[in-house]
Amino acid sequence: MWLARLGIPTPLGWGGCQEKTRRAFIDFLERSCTSEFSGFILFKELSRKLKGRNPILAEVFHLMARDEARHAGFINKAMSDFNISLDLGYLTKNRTYTFFKPEWVIYAVYLSEKIGYWRYILMYRHLQKNPEYQFYPLFKKFENWCQDENRHGDIFKALLRSQPSMWKGWKAKLWAKFFLLSVFATHALTVRERANFYEAVGLDAEEYDREVIRKTNETSARAFPVTLNVEYPQFFPRLERCSKRNEKMKEIAQSSKLKPVKFLQKLSLIAATSVDLLYLYCLKSVDAEALRVTVR
């Protein structure tokens, strides 16, 4: 299991959190709120665009937008206990929009929702077994929250499987591998950055990251033509090396050295990370279509 080897702490309410735990939890709330609100904006815009062309699909996106808005709302409300809040209206008005191909959106959002489900359900199950780490009431809502994420992922799975070009042929396999590796690498970086938070709730960040990736990769076999071979001996060590280099680059960026010196120091780290990610991308993938059982 991926429980931290930290011993049993004295139970604390959120008002009595240690400062280190408090800062880590606030960071978790801020990032989660921004992520959920971004999902709301995306689904709302999709609903608006599809309203005249596909009313049923537009209604589906409208309902998903409602879920994401509710999540962002109660996270923002939770932050008021710490005397902070996010101006969600400001985020709406000042957000920069970037165009992506619909296929890319489907791949990315499917994985985002499924990895979100596993992140929250694994943490929820851990906290149910170890209630001494539930220092804030929001943790008790994770099960309902993550089930929304799971349902959203299933909707995007249906969209993906409705388009044969997204799961048939060599191009689909290459795109599936690209998005899987991108999401897993990003998750590894994020978990390492929030290691203090995971420590506060009794989780070993590295083992938690590995379990989330394994479960998401396994789930993705139901939608994608291929998945990554995450059990390959070098898979997680190389991802974790990328995470460590990312931390070093942040340290370099925050140092008082001259910009040319910073650039040269970062260059070797960027090159090494690129080599590791390319190596992982080129690993032989797992044929999900061959493993899938057809029910007639």
Side-chain angles (χ1 to χ4, degrees):
M1 278 299 288
W2 28 266
L3 303 184
R5 302 164 182 82
L6 303 173
I8 305 299
T10 301
L12 293 172
W14 66 90
C17 288
Q18 298 175 359
E19 183 59 28
K20 181 180 177 182
T21 301
R22 184 178 183 277
R23 289 198 307 269
F25 187 53
I26 288 173
D27 177 68
F28 168 79
L29 291 174
E30 288 177 339
R31 294 194 189 194
S32 297
C33 187
T34 302
S35 176
E36 296 291 337
F37 196 71
S38 297
F40 159 71
I41 292 173
L42 171 63
F43 295 152
K44 182 181 178 182
E45 184 66 13
L46 288 171
S47 177
R48 187 181 68 82
K49 292 285 188 181
L50 291 168
K51 193 171 183 179
R53 290 181 289 173
N54 192 325
I56 294 177
L57 196 54
E59 179 65 13
V60 170
F61 282 118
H62 169 74
L63 294 174
M64 287 196 290
R66 183 192 63 184
D67 290 342
E68 300 291 332
R70 184 175 66 252
H71 298 168
F74 67 64
I75 296 172
N76 205 21
K77 179 65 176 175
M79 286 193 288
S80 66
D81 284 332
F82 299 89
N83 299 317
I84 58 173
S85 65
L86 293 179
D87 186 348
L88 300 180
Y90 176 84
L91 291 177
T92 303
K93 295 176 183 177
N94 295 276
R95 188 169 185 82
T96 301
Y97 293 88
T98 305
F99 173 79
F100 291 104
K101 294 173 62 175
E103 293 86 351
W104 296 0
V105 173
I106 293 173
Y107 282 128
V109 176
Y110 168 77
L111 281 173
S112 175
E113 298 291 344
K114 286 301 182 180
I115 203 169
Y117 165 74
W118 282 113
R119 281 167 47 79
Y120 291 116
I121 196 63
L122 289 175
M123 189 179 295
Y124 174 79
R125 291 170 182 171
H126 160 67
L127 292 173
Q128 287 292 295
K129 294 178 181 177
N130 301 272
E132 66 274 11
Y133 289 108
Q134 285 195 30
F135 59 81
Y136 189 76
L138 183 65
F139 294 131
K140 297 178 181 179
K141 303 295 183 183
F142 276 11
E143 183 179 29
N144 292 332
W145 181 355
C146 75
Q147 293 303 336
D148 284 344
E149 307 288 331
N150 198 29
R151 284 187 288 268
H152 295 175
D154 287 342
I155 290 169
F156 275 86
K157 170 193 167 186
L159 291 174
L160 191 156
R161 299 300 293 186
S162 72
Q163 305 298 314
S165 63
M166 294 188 67
W167 56 273
K168 284 186 176 181
W170 63 271
K171 287 185 179 179
K173 292 179 180 179
L174 293 179
W175 279 119
K177 289 180 68 175
F178 171 80
F179 280 100
L180 282 164
L181 185 57
S182 298
V183 169
F184 293 165
T186 301
H187 187 261
L189 297 179
T190 304
V191 169
R192 188 170 183 84
E193 288 174 348
R194 296 181 184 173
N196 288 340
F197 168 69
Y198 296 107
E199 179 181 310
V201 295
L203 290 170
D204 181 288
E206 185 177 289
E207 289 303 315
Y208 172 73
D209 173 53
R210 290 186 178 201
E211 188 69 7
V212 169
I213 288 176
R214 284 191 181 102
K215 292 294 188 182
T216 306
N217 192 60
E218 181 182 326
T219 300
S220 298
R222 302 171 190 171
F224 287 0
V226 296
T227 59
L228 301 181
N229 182 7
V230 298
E231 300 306 327
Y232 184 77
Q234 286 295 310
F235 187 86
F236 286 113
R238 284 181 180 262
L239 268 190
E240 285 149 15
R241 288 206 298 264
C242 292
S243 299
K244 291 176 182 177
R245 293 192 199 101
N246 183 62
E247 288 190 339
K248 289 181 181 178
M249 285 191 282
K250 286 188 174 182
E251 291 174 5
I252 293 170
Q254 294 169 359
S255 70
S256 58
K257 296 177 182 177
L258 296 174
K259 287 185 177 181
V261 176
K262 290 182 181 181
F263 173 76
L264 291 174
Q265 288 181 326
K266 286 182 179 180
L267 196 59
S268 61
L269 296 172
I270 293 171
T273 295
S274 299
V275 169
D276 275 337
L277 292 177
L278 182 61
Y279 179 90
L280 294 177
Y281 184 79
C282 291
L283 287 176
K284 184 179 180 181
S285 54
V286 178
D287 188 342
E289 294 296 326
L291 297 175
R292 189 174 295 112
V293 177
T294 303
V295 179
R296 297 186 184 278

